[in-house]
Amino acid sequence: MTEPRPDCAVAHYHEIALKGGNRPMFIRRLTDNLRKAVQGLGKIRILSPRGRILLYLNEETPWPILSERLSGIFGIANFSAAYRCPTEPEAIEALVNRLLDSKTFQTFRISARRGDKAYPLTSMELNIRLGRHVQEKTRARVDLEQPELTIHVEILQREALVYFEKLGGPGGLPVGVSGHVLSLISGGIDSPVASYLMMKRGCTIGFLHFHGYPHLTKASLEKAEELVQHLTRHQFESRLYAVAFGEVQRLIVLNVPPPLRVVLYRRFMLRIAEEIAHRERAKAIITGENLGQVASQTLDNLTVIQEAARLPILRPLIGFDKDEIIETAKAIGTYPVSIQPDQDCCRLFIPPHPSVAAQLNDIEKAERNLDVSGLVKMGLETVERMAFTFP
């Protein structure tokens, strides 16, 4: 027999529940994000009784699409397709009977929770009553450790919910509670993961991509656009700024010693990023750097690079190794795009032996051979801005 259509989705949060007096603000942001996520799926009413968020579905709501969207909402620990009924035990038993007609199992457990503490039965008493009822109906046995089927029951003030499978959400904090930041996104593996992790901490993100035009094609920009569109499912609106950096790099090459070039590229990227961050009203800059991965990411070089900016530089991957980053990229869906070949400006005009321990005095001496403000202006004059939305 076909399982009945769910008439509700119940979403639970974890970290938000620990926020004490600030919890209502976090829940409001989460429900606002859910309203954006369900756009185009018909009229869905969203309520937030204590400890959970309920989405009341309409007859046309496609559960597979809704489920896919809920799985990308930061702040949700888990969610389920649920069925509603009155709170009387007899009504719950009748609903369980109807739902179990489509299921086959040998072992089960009941997991009842009371959101309404005035309910006349305790959670344990309800577990026992419903467990006996299911045993009589199915002849299955109770297994509290590894049941084939768990029947979840939640008692609210005005209704009860019954559901089975808990689907994993991404957890974290709702996007928007932690401020706005600017992420330097390449076409590679690291920076999309860094952006994802900062979204998970509640940040909204603007994106900035440097490409090697006119000395390279814009292939890396096409990858960056695809990555930003993928990440936009978590924050619903994104802006991507693209800067043609090739000519800035060429002028650096003509005027500074080869070992210092990579560090200088990064310093000029930060200067340009800072100007764009001010336009975005961003409070910090994100990079995908992690300690020791490449020559520019030694502690000495990172320190010298960071000196070029006044805004905080956030490096969420600083302690990750490459395997950890790759596994995360695969889990969040950016890896297939990131490994596509492109022409990355970070590989343009790279010397054979870049410095791994640049000194600030040497860098400042080299920059005296450059028109620093002029090169920053040159990069800013090439800026293209693109907008992305989801759904």
Side-chain angles (χ1 to χ4, degrees), residues 159-378:
E159 61 188 352
L161 304 176
V162 178
Y163 57 93
F164 300 101
E165 185 180 12
K166 287 187 177 182
L167 302 172
L173 300 176
V175 167
V177 299
S178 299
H180 188 60
V181 295
L182 180 70
S183 178
L184 306 190
I185 188 163
S186 69
I189 297 171
D190 300 346
S191 55
V193 174
S195 301
Y196 175 93
L197 292 177
M198 292 310 299
M199 286 180 179
K200 189 173 182 179
R201 299 316 306 153
C203 291
T204 56
I205 295 184
F207 297 92
L208 171 58
H209 177 75
F210 292 93
H211 57 86
Y213 188 82
H215 301 288
L216 296 175
T217 70
K218 293 185 177 182
S220 69
L221 176 56
E222 294 173 0
K223 282 178 62 179
E225 291 178 33
E226 192 170 349
L227 289 166
V228 170
Q229 183 62 70
H230 182 85
L231 292 169
T232 300
R233 71 186 287 252
H234 302 291
Q235 66 177 16
F236 317 110
E237 295 180 354
S238 299
R239 285 185 296 273
L240 168 64
Y241 296 84
V243 171
F245 197 60
E247 190 61 14
V248 175
Q249 289 178 275
R250 187 184 71 83
L251 292 172
I252 292 172
V253 166
L254 292 176
N255 290 282
V256 303
L260 302 181
R261 290 174 186 168
V262 173
V263 171
L264 285 166
Y265 297 160
R266 298 290 187 184
R267 282 169 63 90
F268 276 92
M269 285 180 176
L270 278 187
R271 290 183 174 113
I272 293 169
E274 195 162 53
E275 293 297 322
I276 293 174
H278 291 320
R279 300 180 189 180
E280 279 274 297
R281 298 183 179 178
K283 298 177 181 178
I285 295 169
I286 302 171
T287 76
E289 295 162 321
N290 65 305
L291 191 61
Q293 181 169 276
V294 296
S296 65
Q297 296 176 20
T298 63
L299 191 57
D300 288 316
N301 285 355
L302 290 174
T303 301
V304 172
I305 291 167
Q306 181 165 313
E307 193 274 340
R310 293 178 298 276
L311 283 177
I313 309 301
L314 306 180
R315 299 181 174 98
L317 303 182
I318 194 68
F320 283 49
D321 65 35
K322 197 63 180 183
D323 288 341
E324 291 170 324
I325 298 170
I326 288 172
E327 287 307 307
T328 305
K330 290 177 178 178
I332 68 176
T334 57
Y335 184 75
V337 179
S338 294
I339 61 173
Q340 295 172 15
D342 66 16
Q343 295 182 309
D344 185 353
C345 76
C346 293
R347 299 187 181 93
L348 180 64
F349 305 132
I350 294 296
H353 302 292
S355 173
V356 296
Q359 299 301 304
L360 184 58
N361 288 340
D362 295 331
I363 291 295
E364 290 176 337
K365 180 179 177 181
E367 285 185 343
R368 285 197 283 271
N369 296 323
L370 299 168
D371 178 3
V372 173
S373 61
L375 291 181
V376 171
K377 182 179 178 182
M378 177 186 294

Side-chain angles (χ1 to χ4, degrees), residues 110 122-133 135:
I110 306 292
T122 67
S123 298
M124 182 60 70
E125 289 169 342
L126 189 57
N127 280 335
I128 294 171
R129 173 165 177 164
L130 293 177
R132 287 173 177 165
H133 177 80
Q135 279 186 307

Side-chain angles (χ1 to χ4, degrees), residues 121-164:
L121 297 179
T122 67
S123 298
M124 182 60 70
E125 289 169 342
L126 189 57
N127 280 335
I128 294 171
R129 173 165 177 164
L130 293 177
R132 287 173 177 165
H133 177 80
V134 172
Q135 279 186 307
E136 291 172 0
K137 174 179 172 60
T138 65
R139 302 304 177 193
R141 62 183 178 84
V142 173
D143 184 343
L144 300 181
E145 299 299 326
Q146 292 184 313
E148 292 180 40
L149 181 70
T150 297
I151 303 170
H152 298 274
V153 179
E154 295 193 21
I155 304 297
L156 308 181
Q157 280 192 325
R158 294 183 176 85
E159 61 188 352
L161 304 176
V162 178
Y163 57 93
F164 300 101

